[in-house]
Amino acid sequence: MDKYQNNFTLLIRRIGFLLVIYFLCRLLFLFFNYTYFSSIGFTVVLKSFFYGIRYDITAIVISNIFFIALHLLPFRFFYTRFYQLFLKTFFLLFNIPFILMNCIDLGLYRFTGKRSGSEIFSIMGFGDDLINTAPKMITDFWYLLIFFFALIFLMIRHYPKLKTFSIIKSEKKTAWVGIGMNFLLFIVFTGFTFIGFRGGIQYKPLNILSASRYGTGKTAELVLNTSFTIIKTFGKQTIEEINWMTEAEAIKINPVINQPNNLEPFRKKNIIIIILEGIGKEYIGTLNNNIGYTPFLDSLIQKSLVFPNAYANGKRSIEGIPAILAGLPALMHDPFISSAYSGNAVTSVAGLLGKEGYSTFFFHGGTNGTMGFDNFSKLAGFEKYFGRSEYNNDADFDGSWGIYDEPFLVRAAQELDKITPPFLASIFTLSSHHPYKIPEKYANQFPKGTLPIHQSVRYADYSLGKFFENASKMSWYENSLFIITSDHTALSEHSFYRNHVGLFSVPLIMYIPGDTLMQGVNMKTTQQIDILPGLMDYLGYDKPFFAFGESMFETNSKGYAIQFIDDTYQLISDGYIFTLDTLRQNTLYNFVLDSTLSSNISDVESLQENKMELKLKSVVQQFNKAIIHNEMKP
């Protein structure tokens, strides 16, 4: 009986030891990302740490279920040195990878705004991205490796050990009462293990969204741990069909089949969509009281149509590209490109304009295969992909992602000059992506700013200026529409750009050389998925097409933007942000008057809440249906 009780108590000590390690990971997460949680009171932080224990227990039990099972075997060999060494090795092999992912998230959170899920493995797996970028990432985030190895040292050095390996040979034959007690302990502990595996005795097992019970928005990130989010998103390759309302009601609220009624002839303008890597609205001076890092873009804005209330639909490039070019919002765990639905037919800018006689090109200086953009461009109907291989001059390789922006953008302009108009070109920059490397010759030309990204933003802006300088000398320039936006936001130093509104605030600029009618400011709320219908609206396209978004030129709507983060849907519109929470009260904030999103006004402005809830539900319901049944065509 004593042996089995020792077995039982030893397992409790080892699980408790892991809880301490997870507590340290959460403490480090708060420390490294403190600026994102500075508006949260100390009491709320303490509560988040307390509630987080439940998520830690669930993650530990699930990831150590075999270790626990091996611990419960009621045999004498449990007390041998060999078996204890075997258990310790098993313990380390199963826990070190999860601790590593928690440490990676210490730095990654500031880029993604959320705990990482299993999708991180599929994203890292594209092409040679990991091989090319890992050395620089390790150099820049060396201190995370120190903490990781320190935690591993603690796990090895202080792993709870059995005090003695000897077996008392003189013990008497086990009494039946002893056997009964051992069996009872086994049943009780198995029951607790089952409860820990589920995260409690509630009807449904604990999930990511459950963290919102203990705090909305960023508070949930402190409650969660990365092991839990990876486990809970692992293998989630499908989404569920939702029936919040009838299909007719959903279509009435948000029609996904555009039925143009254009009387004007189709404008065969050249279309150049420039996607700036990680350059959020925060960095653009004209849009931020003249405090910014983009002098060329600021000058271009003065003669463009600009949308100050524009938002990204996701937080990663692999989500931004499908949103911009194919109107696909990121409303599921896996990015569309790496999901089980990546073979679905899509309606895209390239597909629609290709049928109108356009030549279509996708330019990205990254190594071919990066995040699957080359394959997606083919799916989206682009005739040609032009990447690092096609550039064919590694003298301009940045050593990490691909070709530096300036030479690549100049080359893109030259390649476009070889094409017979009309043409569509999507040009995606990369130098403002971590590790924010710029050519040595510009090291002293561009000030570094207050964040690591600022110098590379200045370089990207300078490179954009060089593109326009070259393009303006070419015959196709005057008959072209330039759309400039960003794939997502990146590092932030201002508190507003860390909340769930600013976290998605990106530039959206439309420029037509010499066209004074396409100048000024449009305050309508708009998003990346509006670019597809907005562009076709402007060109005078007269055929039905599928689109989740709506044209930014539609005057009968105030517009909206939708995102999916931490298993929660949110809708931004007309100065409000609404969050759909199926486990607790929905939230509504007026972020114009409440920039910290601290006062939930859902009870005060119930009409606004109901209106936004219906809109959000109609979009999500139709998105899931269209994705599941491959219906993203008219």
Side-chain angles (χ1 to χ4, degrees):
M1 176 177 174
D2 288 340
K3 294 202 301 293
Y4 198 71
Q5 285 178 326
N6 287 339
N7 186 0
F8 177 78
T9 55
L10 184 60
L11 179 55
I12 292 176
R13 286 170 53 206
R14 288 171 175 170
I15 296 297
F17 175 63
L18 272 178
L19 283 172
V20 173
I21 297 295
Y22 272 68
F23 168 79
L24 292 175
C25 287
R26 183 173 282 106
L27 195 63
L28 288 170
F29 181 80
L30 175 63
F31 174 76
F32 280 104
N33 299 285
Y34 179 72
T35 54
Y36 290 82
F37 301 101
S38 56
S39 61
I40 299 174
F42 181 69
T43 303
V44 177
V45 171
L46 285 181
K47 287 182 178 179
S48 298
F49 273 59
F50 175 74
Y51 294 133
I53 296 173
R54 184 180 179 191
Y55 291 81
D56 294 347
I57 291 174
T58 301
I60 289 169
V61 170
I62 294 176
S63 58
N64 288 272
I65 193 67
F66 295 112
F67 176 77
I68 292 171
L70 291 171
H71 233 283
L72 294 179
L73 297 177
F75 303 119
R76 288 189 175 186
F77 60 71
F78 176 86
Y79 298 93
T80 63
R81 290 182 184 277
F82 172 80
Y83 194 71
Q84 288 300 314
L85 179 61
F86 168 73
L87 283 178
K88 183 176 182 179
T89 303
F90 207 82
F91 176 88
L92 294 173
L93 286 176
F94 272 74
N95 286 288
I96 286 178
F98 284 108
I99 300 304
L100 174 62
M101 295 312 300
N102 276 274
C103 288
I104 288 174
D105 246 10
L106 300 181
L108 194 59
Y109 174 76
R110 66 192 67 176
F111 296 97
T112 62
K114 63 186 285 290
R115 292 277 192 172
S116 296
S118 61
E119 76 282 350
I120 190 174
F121 300 115
S122 61
I123 294 172
M124 290 167 60
F126 279 114
D128 297 322
D129 296 349
L130 184 61
I131 297 173
N132 291 332
T133 61
K136 183 59 179 173
M137 291 177 71
I138 291 172
T139 301
D140 286 356
F141 295 99
W142 56 268
Y143 49 88
L144 298 184
L145 279 179
I146 291 177
F147 285 105
F148 168 65
F149 286 121
L151 290 172
I152 300 309
F153 173 78
L154 284 176
M155 291 175 68
I156 296 173
R157 179 70 177 80
H158 297 285
Y159 170 80
K161 298 177 181 178
L162 193 65
K163 293 181 180 179
T164 177
F165 293 98
S166 63
I167 299 177
I168 304 173
K169 296 181 180 179
S170 60
E171 68 175 349
K172 296 180 179 179
K173 188 176 181 180
T174 305
W176 284 106
V177 65
I179 295 174
M181 183 60 70
N182 287 347
F183 180 73
L184 180 61
L185 285 173
F186 176 82
I187 295 298
V188 169
F189 199 77
T190 300
F192 278 119
T193 300
F194 176 74
I195 293 172
F197 194 95
R198 297 184 77 258
I201 58 174
Q202 68 283 344
Y203 178 67
K204 289 186 176 181
L206 202 64
N207 57 37
I208 296 172
L209 184 58
S210 303
S212 63
R213 291 180 183 273
Y214 310 112
T216 57
K218 292 179 290 189
T219 311
E221 306 300 338
L222 285 178
V223 176
L224 293 165
N225 63 72
T226 305
S227 305
F228 183 87
T229 54
I230 288 176
I231 290 169
K232 288 297 179 176
T233 56
F234 186 78
K236 280 197 172 183
Q237 298 179 337
T238 58
I239 53 178
E240 295 180 1
E241 195 159 350
I242 298 172
N243 293 291
W244 280 315
M245 60 189 75
T246 66
E247 186 174 350
E249 289 171 327
I251 292 173
K252 183 178 180 181
I253 296 170
N254 192 76
V256 292
I257 303 298
N258 281 254
Q259 300 283 358
N261 187 25
N262 296 304
L263 301 178
E264 297 293 326
F266 183 79
R267 300 186 181 105
K268 281 206 170 183
K269 284 189 172 290
N270 304 306
I271 307 299
I272 299 94
I273 301 174
I274 301 174
I275 305 168
L276 304 173
E277 167 61 57
I279 299 184
K281 176 183 171 183
E282 178 180 5
Y283 308 142
I284 300 173
T286 305
L287 305 179
N288 285 283
N289 300 316
N290 296 318
I291 301 173
Y293 307 89
T294 56
F296 171 76
L297 204 51
D298 288 332
S299 67
L300 191 67
I301 285 174
Q302 304 306 317
K303 46 189 177 181
S304 303
L305 178 62
V306 62
F307 298 84
N309 298 313
Y311 300 93
N313 293 107
K315 274 292 292 174
R316 295 168 295 191
S317 302
I318 200 171
E319 296 169 335
I321 300 303
I324 295 166
L325 301 179
L328 285 169
L331 298 182
M332 52 186 180
H333 287 288
D334 293 336
F336 176 82
I337 291 177
S338 60
S339 74
Y341 307 102
S342 59
N344 282 16
V346 299
T347 295
S348 71
V349 177
L352 294 176
L353 293 183
K355 294 177 181 178
E356 299 299 315
Y358 278 67
S359 300
T360 55
F361 292 79
F362 187 102
F363 291 89
H364 182 223
T367 302
N368 295 49
T370 292
M371 295 194 187
F373 292 147
D374 51 353
N375 291 331
F376 176 75
S377 69
K378 293 296 183 184
L379 174 71
F382 284 90
E383 294 173 343
K384 185 175 180 182
Y385 175 89
F386 191 97
R388 176 184 168 193
S389 296
E390 289 74 16
Y391 184 83
N392 196 29
N393 183 4
D394 269 4
D396 297 323
F397 179 49
D398 67 2
S400 297
W401 285 106
I403 307 302
Y404 284 114
D405 279 357
E406 182 194 6
F408 188 80
L409 288 174
V410 170
R411 177 71 176 277
Q414 294 169 348
E415 292 295 320
L416 291 178
D417 205 36
K418 301 175 184 177
I419 305 170
T420 302
F423 58 77
L424 161 71
S426 170
I427 306 175
F428 184 22
T429 69
L430 59 72
S431 291
S432 43
H433 191 292
H434 181 270
Y436 314 122
K437 189 176 180 182
I438 68 173
E440 299 253 347
K441 63 180 180 179
Y442 294 124
N444 298 320
Q445 180 171 332
F446 304 113
K448 291 191 174 181
T450 54
L451 290 175
I453 193 175
H454 287 159
Q455 187 180 41
S456 65
V457 170
R458 290 181 186 273
Y459 170 69
D461 177 73
Y462 170 81
S463 303
L464 185 64
K466 286 295 182 181
F467 170 81
F468 274 89
E469 180 183 321
N470 281 267
S472 64
K473 302 172 185 176
M474 298 174 179
S475 59
W476 49 266
Y477 180 75
E478 294 293 333
N479 190 44
S480 299
L481 166 62
F482 297 87
I483 300 174
I484 303 172
T485 188
S486 175
D487 56 341
H488 58 77
T489 60
L491 298 177
S492 174
E493 62 179 338
H494 301 297
S495 58
F496 174 78
Y497 290 104
R498 297 190 195 113
N499 70 33
H500 276 196
V501 178
L503 200 63
F504 296 94
S505 296
V506 294
L508 179 55
I509 301 153
M510 291 185 169
Y511 170 64
I512 299 179
D515 188 346
T516 56
L517 295 178
M518 282 288 283
Q519 294 180 11
V521 178
N522 187 324
M523 298 301 293
K524 180 177 180 177
T525 301
T526 190
Q527 56 189 325
Q528 290 170 333
I529 63 172
D530 293 343
I531 292 175
L532 168 61
L535 173 59
M536 305 315 290
D537 186 8
Y538 171 77
L539 292 176
Y541 189 76
D542 61 357
K543 302 177 183 67
F545 64 92
F546 185 98
F548 289 111
E550 65 181 38
S551 170
M552 62 277 290
F553 301 111
E554 171 59 59
T555 57
N556 294 323
S557 168
K558 293 182 179 179
Y560 74 96
I562 191 170
Q563 293 91 22
F564 177 66
I565 185 168
D566 293 331
D567 264 2
T568 302
Y569 299 101
Q570 68 176 36
L571 187 94
I572 300 171
S573 181
D574 195 28
Y576 293 90
I577 176 172
F578 168 77
T579 302
L580 178 65
D581 194 330
T582 57
L583 296 179
R584 54 182 293 172
Q585 183 184 13
N586 295 334
T587 58
L588 178 71
Y589 300 98
N590 184 325
F591 60 83
V592 177
L593 303 177
D594 176 21
S595 63
T596 61
L597 308 185
S598 56
S599 299
N600 182 9
I601 57 173
S602 58
D603 292 335
V604 181
E605 298 201 37
S606 57
L607 290 178
Q608 180 70 27
E609 178 191 16
N610 292 339
K611 176 178 154 187
M612 294 181 75
E613 181 176 2
L614 283 173
K615 183 70 171 181
L616 187 151
K617 285 184 173 179
S618 69
V619 177
V620 173
Q621 178 172 314
Q622 292 183 89
F623 174 84
N624 284 19
K625 179 177 181 293
I627 290 287
I628 291 170
H629 299 290
N630 193 11
E631 295 177 344
M632 292 182 288
K633 289 281 185 180

